[in-house]
Structure formats: C-alpha cells, structure tokens
Amino acid sequence: MSHQSYVEEGFWYSKRLIDLEMVNHMLQFTRSISGLDDSDSDLVSNGLKQGFLSPCFLVKEPSIWPFLSYPKLISTIRNLIGPSIRFCHGGDILFAHRSGFPFHRDLWFDFSEPPSWDSGLKNFKFVRAITFFHEYRPITFGLYPGSHLVNSCSRKAIWIDVNPGDVVFFDPRLLHSGLACDFPKYGAILTFAFENKHAYDYHFYRQFVQIPDRYTPPSKSFVDFLSKLSLYSPSIMDLALQNFYRQQLAHISPAEPPQGYLYTHFNNRTACT
C-alpha cells in the first residue's frame, strides 16, 4: 500500500518512526555543534541566516551514522521505491531555522532529454526524507499530493504537523513547503535513490555546482559503513564519470535558475496549475 501511494501521491508519512532515544541523541548533537538552544532568538546575530550545517556534515561524524542507517528508515524507503537504494552522498542537518519557505520542487540541473523531472520516466526512483528533533512541538509541513506528476496538480495543498520522530518521505519533484515557526527547528533531510543516471545528475550537480566549497569526499570508513548495508554507490568516485560531469556542468551557476536548480517557487496561497 505504501509503495502504490508513494507512486501516485508522491509522499508517505510515517508517525513515530524514529524512537525518542535517537531523536534526543540527534537533538543534543545538533545543539552542541550549533552552539544554540531554544533561548537563542536572534539568528542573524549568530551568523545563521541559512540555518544549515554543511551538507556533507553527516559523512564526517561517525557518532551520527546510525541515524542515517536507522533500520526502520531504510526499510521504509526500500518499501517505497525498491530494495536497491543507495545513499546520496551529502545530507543536510537543519538547525535553528525559524523561517518558512515557499512551495517548491527539489530539482537539480539535468541536461538530458527527457529531463529527470519528466514523470513518464520509470527509472526516476528518489526519496527525500525529512524529520525533526526539536522537543515536543510539531513543524507544519505542506505539500500538494500528486504534484510530482506532469499536469497532475489540481488538488489542494495539505498540511501535516510533523512531530519529533515522524518522517515525511517525498519525491523531490513534489511541491512542498514549510511554515515559519517561533522556535528553532532542528532536523535532517536525507536523500536515497537507485543508482542510475538520475542519481549521478543529483550527486555531481551538488559536488560541482551547488556546494563545491563544502563538498567532502567519503572517507574509507564511511564507504565501508555504507557498503556493509548495501547503501554505497561506488560510481561517485569514478574518475571518468567525475570528469564527464565536471565538463558538462562547467558553465552552470547555482545562482541562475532555470539553468541551475530548475525548481519552481509558489507562495503558500497559490494553486499549482
């Protein structure tokens, strides 16, 4: 049922998927490296306008690797898109980020035809998983069911109160949003996909265009960790593939949509038509 719903709706919501012990571990870790807690209200004075850690921070901290390989998380993703998933190198940790964001799609540069956001493609198998660690208060997360499919966004947006330990799994083509809150957000966004061209597009776009100054290659210990779980994609270290994408992406700037992110913004009251 979850697989079919994910295919048709573009998302799956699991309540209390991550136990509170892990949630608390991630909360304390995030607070310790951010230097913030709920009493910090002026993010600008702390230099945290973005509110994100390095997108590759997860790969450098063995103490939190059990989170990205959390068994219920991985089994749910395999149930949604299939068993042969791979961790998409990177991962974002979110902290002390009170602002909301408009409806958008998490898409990246794609120079092929048809592009990866064409819903007719059968091998576009991606899952973004977002969860939060803050204590006892939900984050309101919005989405348009079915908006990952071409010409299939006639339904109204729905809003989910995501509590600590809950996880929203969504197709990156799905229109989604988050409301602003009056307390810090602490959470993470992980990406998993089948190993194919679309996964390579995602990885190398991030490496060479989106976060070149913050990209961290996987260490041997991290490779070994993922490999034991059948979550590692060795192709990301292939020199020929790296050179191919480096050349293809050389003229792309992350500051220039639509050549960069290729996502479409919607404000919180706009229908996706």
Side-chain angles (χ1 to χ4, degrees), residues 251-265:
H251 66 291
I252 303 300
S253 168
E256 297 179 356
Q259 288 185 315
Y261 293 105
L262 276 179
Y263 59 24
T264 302
H265 282 287

Side-chain angles (χ1 to χ4, degrees), residues 225-268:
F225 172 78
L226 291 180
S227 297
K228 290 178 182 178
L229 300 168
S230 299
L231 294 174
Y232 178 62
S233 172
S235 298
I236 66 172
M237 300 301 291
D238 183 270
L239 293 180
L241 197 60
Q242 289 181 12
N243 289 333
F244 170 77
Y245 274 95
R246 185 180 288 108
Q247 294 173 13
Q248 293 290 332
L249 298 170
H251 66 291
I252 303 300
S253 168
E256 297 179 356
Q259 288 185 315
Y261 293 105
L262 276 179
Y263 59 24
T264 302
H265 282 287
F266 292 76
N267 66 48
N268 284 351

Side-chain angles (χ1 to χ4, degrees), residues 160-172:
I160 301 171
D161 285 337
V162 184
N163 286 284
D166 296 353
V167 183
V168 179
F169 303 89
F170 62 96
D171 186 305

